């Protein structure tokens, strides 16, 4: 697990109120938005702002689409590509 | 714990009575709470009151005032700007004869002058604003409408705007983006890492955490008794 992966799991744990270690079970196929009813637009907005702070990235609103939050894998891929550019 | 009120100055020179939650036993140490703002205010209210219960148990009076336009206030949030909140906290500090202040998150952006104290988990006004703008853009997108930050800001600065269920004046929008904490002497920042656990303002569903309330209350109580 690289730093981005670890940090992203920690952020999702904080947003979803998971117990320590629970997010370790996330796989690339774990569904996020859509499968997690508690992820409403306000929670997703908070998640994005927190990702910017903790991952030192800047997210443009144009980059946010439904597919991004479809699975843990898609969100991690996005976070890694942003960090590579940063 | 008692429901109290305080005389709150309003824009234009009028005044209103605003609600405040008080643990008041006439004790010497009296902490005014500057509550978290907007959505974070809802998510952290229970945590804030749990911290107050613990302060009360440590022999410390404490007061949680409603800011105009928030919580039980009958004022229209759409007419409020950050300076009104600062004046409300000044008035509450005077009314309750506060000796210190404990600001929670965005509450530290509108601190009353002259009171020393603490600021838990400081946040920039621009971060609060950005999150609310994003929430609006995301929910518009779910409804099939495309919106963008620049257009929302341009419209909002002129006419005011509703973001994430909050009606914000143009002035609120303009000032919120520029507010930063940490300019006031006598205020010690308490970073969330010191309290530990997952930050409750990030929780998708409001939650509570007794160990976090214990930790924050202990930091303040120790500071007051030092």
């Amino acid at each position: 697990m690289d730093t981005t992966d670890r940090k992203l799991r920690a952020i999702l744990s904080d947003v979803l109120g998971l117990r320590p270690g629970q997010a370790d079970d996330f796989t690339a196929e774990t569904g996020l938005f859509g499968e997690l009813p508690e992820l409403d637009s306000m929670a997703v907005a908070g998640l994005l702002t927190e990702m910017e702070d903790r991952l030192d990235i800047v997210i443009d609103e144009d980059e946010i689409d439904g597919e991004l939050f479809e699975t843990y894998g898609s969100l991690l891929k996005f976070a890694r590509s942003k960090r590579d550019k940063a | 714990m008692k429901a109290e009120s305080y005389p709150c100055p309003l824009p234009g020179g009028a005044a209103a009575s605003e609600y405040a939650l008080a643990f008041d036993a006439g004790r010497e140490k009296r902490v005014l709470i500057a509550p978290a703002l907007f959505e974070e205010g809802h998510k952290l209210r229970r945590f804030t009151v749990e911290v107050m219960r613990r302060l009360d148990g440590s022999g410390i009076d404490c007061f949680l005032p409603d800011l105009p336009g928030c919580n039980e206030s009958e004022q229209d949030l759409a007419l409020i700007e950050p300076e009104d909140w600062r004046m409300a906290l000044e008035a509450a500090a005077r009314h309750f004869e506060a000796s210190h202040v404990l600001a929670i998150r965005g509450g530290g952006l509108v601190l009353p002058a002259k009171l020393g104290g603490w600021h838990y988990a400081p946040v920039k006004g621009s971060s609060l604003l950005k999150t609310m703008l994003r929430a609006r853009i995301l929910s518009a997108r779910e409804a099939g409408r495309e919106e963008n930050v620049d257009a929302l800001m341009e419209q909002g600065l002129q006419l005011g705007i509703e973001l994430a269920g909050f009606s914000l004046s143009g002035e609120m929008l303009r000032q919120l983006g520029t507010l930063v904490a940490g300019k006031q002497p006598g205020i010690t920042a308490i970073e969330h890492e010191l309290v530990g656990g997952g930050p409750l303002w990030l929780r998708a569903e409001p939650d509570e955490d007794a160990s976090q309330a214990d930790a924050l209350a202990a930091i303040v109580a120790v500071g007051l008794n030092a």
Side-chain angles (χ1 to χ4, degrees):
Chain A
M1 207 184 287
D2 63 18
T3 316
T4 307
D5 195 355
R6 211 168 40 243
K7 285 187 175 182
L8 192 58
R9 283 173 203 262
I11 296 168
L12 280 165
S13 294
D14 288 346
V15 171
L16 297 169
L18 303 180
R19 291 187 301 279
Q22 221 179 329
D24 294 350
D25 299 339
F26 283 5
T27 67
E29 286 77 41
T30 302
L32 297 178
F33 207 71
E35 288 181 42
L36 299 167
E38 56 270 52
L39 274 185
D40 61 7
S41 56
M42 193 65 203
V44 170
L47 172 68
L48 290 167
T49 307
E50 197 66 14
M51 281 174 65
E52 288 185 320
D53 286 353
R54 291 202 218 169
L55 300 172
D56 284 321
I57 56 176
V58 178
I59 300 171
D60 195 78
E61 270 61 36
D62 298 341
E63 300 172 297
I64 308 164
D65 59 31
E67 284 168 27
L68 191 56
F69 291 96
E70 213 161 274
T71 62
Y72 179 70
S74 56
L75 190 61
L76 179 61
K77 190 175 154 208
F78 171 75
R80 281 191 178 133
S81 74
K82 294 299 289 186
R83 270 167 72 96
D84 287 345
K85 278 180 234 157
Chain B
M1 179 167 59
K2 276 191 304 189
E4 299 243 6
S5 64
Y6 72 100
C8 175
L10 294 177
S17 178
E18 293 289 7
Y19 173 83
L21 205 57
F23 290 87
D24 190 354
R27 292 168 288 196
E28 196 183 326
K29 290 160 186 158
R30 305 171 69 76
V31 175
L32 178 77
I33 311 284
L37 304 178
F38 307 111
E39 177 80 3
E40 293 189 352
H42 299 312
K43 286 192 178 155
L44 293 174
R45 187 164 179 88
R46 192 175 165 86
F47 166 74
T48 304
V49 174
E50 287 300 313
V51 172
M52 292 173 73
R53 287 186 201 284
R54 287 156 173 79
L55 291 175
D56 176 52
S58 304
I60 298 160
D61 282 352
C62 44
F63 309 89
L64 173 61
D66 274 1
L67 299 176
C70 305
N71 206 38
E72 302 289 328
S73 171
E74 292 180 355
Q75 302 308 311
D76 185 358
L77 179 61
L79 301 175
I80 299 294
E81 55 184 271
E83 186 58 24
D84 299 318
W85 285 344
R86 189 187 313 280
M87 285 171 63
L89 287 171
E90 294 269 6
R94 271 196 308 277
H95 181 77
F96 295 114
E97 299 178 347
S99 59
H100 297 80
V101 65
L102 168 62
I104 312 284
R105 296 281 289 167
L109 300 171
V110 289
L111 284 174
K114 292 180 188 157
L115 273 187
W118 298 266
H119 184 183
Y120 165 62
V123 60
K124 281 188 232 147
S126 58
S127 293
L128 293 176
L129 178 59
K130 185 157 53 169
T131 303
M132 286 194 285
L133 282 163
R134 275 188 175 147
R136 164 145 176 171
I137 290 170
L138 289 170
S139 63
R141 205 171 281 173
E142 277 173 46
R145 289 194 315 276
E146 270 309 310
E147 293 184 329
N148 68 70
V149 171
D150 292 342
L152 288 177
M153 282 300 286
E154 192 184 329
Q155 174 206 335
L157 287 170
Q158 284 181 26
L159 304 167
I161 192 168
E162 188 177 310
L163 294 180
F166 297 95
S167 297
L168 308 183
S169 64
E171 201 49 33
M172 176 69 87
L173 208 56
R174 192 182 65 75
Q175 291 183 32
L176 190 58
T178 64
L179 291 176
V180 281
K183 287 180 183 160
Q184 197 156 317
I187 300 290
T188 306
I190 303 171
E191 296 298 339
H192 176 73
E193 287 68 36
L194 207 56
V195 167
L200 292 169
W201 64 88
L202 279 181
R203 265 326 137 77
E205 300 283 342
D207 203 352
E208 59 182 282
D209 185 331
S211 65
Q212 293 190 29
D214 287 346
L216 182 55
I219 293 166
V220 172
V222 167
L224 277 170
N225 291 315

